Amino acid sequence: MKVLVTGGAGFIGSAVVRRAIAEGLSIVNVDKLTYAANLDNLRAVVGNPAYAFVHADICDAPAMRRVFAEHQPDAVMHLAAESHVDRSIDAPAAFVEANVVGTTVLLEAASAYLSAASEAVRQRFRFHHISTDEVFGSLSTEGSFSEDSPYKPNSPYSASKAASDMFVRAWGETYGLPIVISNCSNNYGPYQFPEKLIPVVILNAIAGKPIPVYGTGANVRDWLYVDDHAEALLLIVREGDIGETYNVGGHTETSNLTLVRTLCGILDDLLSESQHRPHADLIQFVTDRPGHDLRYAIDATKLQRNLGWVPSVTLAEGLRRTVAWYLDNAWWWQAIRDRGFAGERLGLRRSA
């Protein structure tokens, strides 16, 4: 099976590529190589004859048509996206361009490819669009998101992903493209770009810098270890039913403050000689993000019932693995800093 993966040099995309190659699939990785993409994430697969890399923008229609024509994929796993909520608050148009326009261009290219393909290719082809639970908006203290939850996006990022979900659905209904959609909870693990909460905590703690917690830290998220997510995504693209949506969650609801304190405890243990212990003393409450959703929780019953997937990594185990990885791989994140990423706070823009 040959899969075209968009955004395969990103955090989740690279986890999918590494796992797919290990499972014997052939991968064509299409990536624009924006600030958060990193070819170092793919060192383990470079040189493998089952792996090919194409440096291209999904918004470039001629380039996308060429990719399909040259590589003749059996499936698409569409992960390329702008994904940082804070950045979307400061620059929403970039999220519309990448997430909405880019998805539409890719859908057009896939449809054109399929219309000229053999019946055998048409029968096995799938367009798997990977999305987020943020499209559903915010929960109160009760309940969870199911595949039937209404869309109520509250940030420019989640609005752009909601729009892309709708375009994928429309291509399935209007043009008969064999689509499947998945919506995941917050991912974490190795190779996550250091603008997201967990790597920010780890790297700030290592340096003895303040660890920012938005608001009071009461916001709750369901955390999903990235390798568990990659396993679920590959299962969905191979065995998911056409036209269906699947929620992917880690069953690990935790407040941001509890998560940060847990990370600090792990760092205290693994950095027993650090002069910054206890690392929880570095916690600093900062101005909250505008429109910050209170709580996300995923009901992944459908995925378990229909395809047999359940997460295998507990939050405690996953966080410890993640902290250890960042401690052991300073070369990776230091290279990002050397390129000029300073980790400055974003997303405080408000209307006048």
Side-chain angles (χ1 to χ4, degrees):
M1 182 180 187
K2 180 183 284 188
V3 182
L4 192 163
V5 176
T6 69
F11 170 47
I12 301 174
S14 63
V16 169
V17 170
R18 293 191 301 269
R19 188 177 189 100
I21 293 295
E23 292 183 4
L25 278 66
S26 294
I27 295 295
V28 180
N29 172 18
V30 174
D31 203 298
K32 183 182 177 181
L33 297 182
T34 60
Y35 78 96
N38 192 338
L39 290 176
D40 284 339
N41 300 359
L42 296 163
R43 286 188 175 188
V45 302
V46 171
N48 191 306
Y51 173 73
F53 173 67
V54 179
H55 184 195
D57 184 350
I58 60 170
C59 293
D60 184 342
M64 292 305 99
R65 289 195 295 269
R66 287 194 298 270
V67 168
F68 277 95
E70 179 179 348
H71 293 280
Q72 303 281 305
D74 300 307
V76 173
M77 297 180 72
H78 177 33
L79 293 111
E82 292 286 344
S83 67
H84 190 39
V85 175
D86 288 359
R87 287 181 184 271
S88 80
I89 293 169
D90 289 340
F95 284 69
V96 175
E97 178 70 13
N99 300 352
V100 184
V101 175
T103 297
T104 307
V105 169
L106 196 66
L107 287 165
E108 287 274 52
S111 295
Y113 162 69
L114 211 56
S115 68
S118 68
E119 182 61 24
V121 172
R122 292 172 62 85
Q123 286 297 318
R124 64 177 178 259
F125 187 82
R126 298 288 186 275
F127 187 105
H128 180 188
H129 176 61
I130 290 86
S131 190
T132 172
D133 59 356
E134 298 192 35
V135 299
F136 302 124
S138 183
L139 290 167
S140 63
T141 56
E142 301 294 331
S144 57
F145 298 132
S146 74
E147 289 80 3
D148 297 323
S149 294
Y151 276 38
K152 296 181 180 179
N154 290 320
S155 70
Y157 162 64
S158 58
S160 71
K161 289 299 289 185
S164 68
D165 290 7
M166 295 299 104
F167 274 102
V168 173
R169 291 177 186 274
W171 250 254
E173 291 294 326
T174 303
Y175 304 110
L177 189 69
I179 63 98
V180 63
I181 298 172
S182 59
N183 297 85
C184 70
S185 56
N186 282 40
N187 278 228
Y188 72 101
Y191 298 103
Q192 188 169 29
F193 191 80
E195 66 184 358
K196 300 295 179 76
L197 175 60
I198 288 176
V200 165
V201 172
I202 296 169
L203 299 186
N204 281 25
I206 291 171
K209 296 169 58 178
I211 297 172
V213 174
Y214 291 2
T216 64
N219 304 77
V220 172
R221 299 294 182 262
D222 172 32
W223 293 93
L224 174 63
Y225 193 64
V226 68
D227 289 340
D228 274 344
H229 189 201
E231 178 188 41
L233 294 180
L234 289 166
L235 180 65
I236 291 167
V237 77
R238 286 182 287 201
E239 301 183 22
D241 291 330
I242 291 174
E244 292 294 324
T245 296
Y246 298 91
N247 280 351
V248 189
H251 309 306
T252 57
E253 281 186 67
T254 307
S255 75
N256 287 349
L257 183 56
T258 298
L259 180 82
V260 170
R261 285 175 171 161
T262 300
L263 287 166
C264 288
I266 296 169
L267 286 155
D268 288 347
D269 185 29
L270 297 183
L271 295 176
S272 59
E273 302 301 317
S274 171
Q275 62 181 330
H276 308 304
R277 297 172 73 245
H279 292 93
D281 286 351
L282 297 171
I283 293 173
Q284 182 178 95
F285 296 97
V286 299
T287 303
D288 205 356
R289 168 192 292 160
H292 198 176
D293 290 336
L294 174 63
R295 176 174 167 263
Y296 303 146
I298 281 281
D299 178 358
T301 302
K302 178 178 177 180
L303 185 58
Q304 179 178 353
R305 181 182 65 244
N306 293 7
L307 300 183
W309 179 88
V310 292
S312 63
V313 180
T314 66
L315 184 60
E317 178 184 359
L319 290 177
R320 193 171 186 88
R321 285 188 197 179
T322 302
V323 172
W325 187 87
Y326 280 91
L327 293 177
D328 292 341
N329 291 277
W331 66 270
W332 181 86
W333 51 263
Q334 190 58 56
I336 293 172
R337 290 187 168 174
D338 291 344
R339 293 200 300 268
F341 176 74
E344 67 276 10
R345 174 76 192 275
L346 302 170
L348 290 176
R349 168 186 162 185
R350 296 180 183 271
S351 60

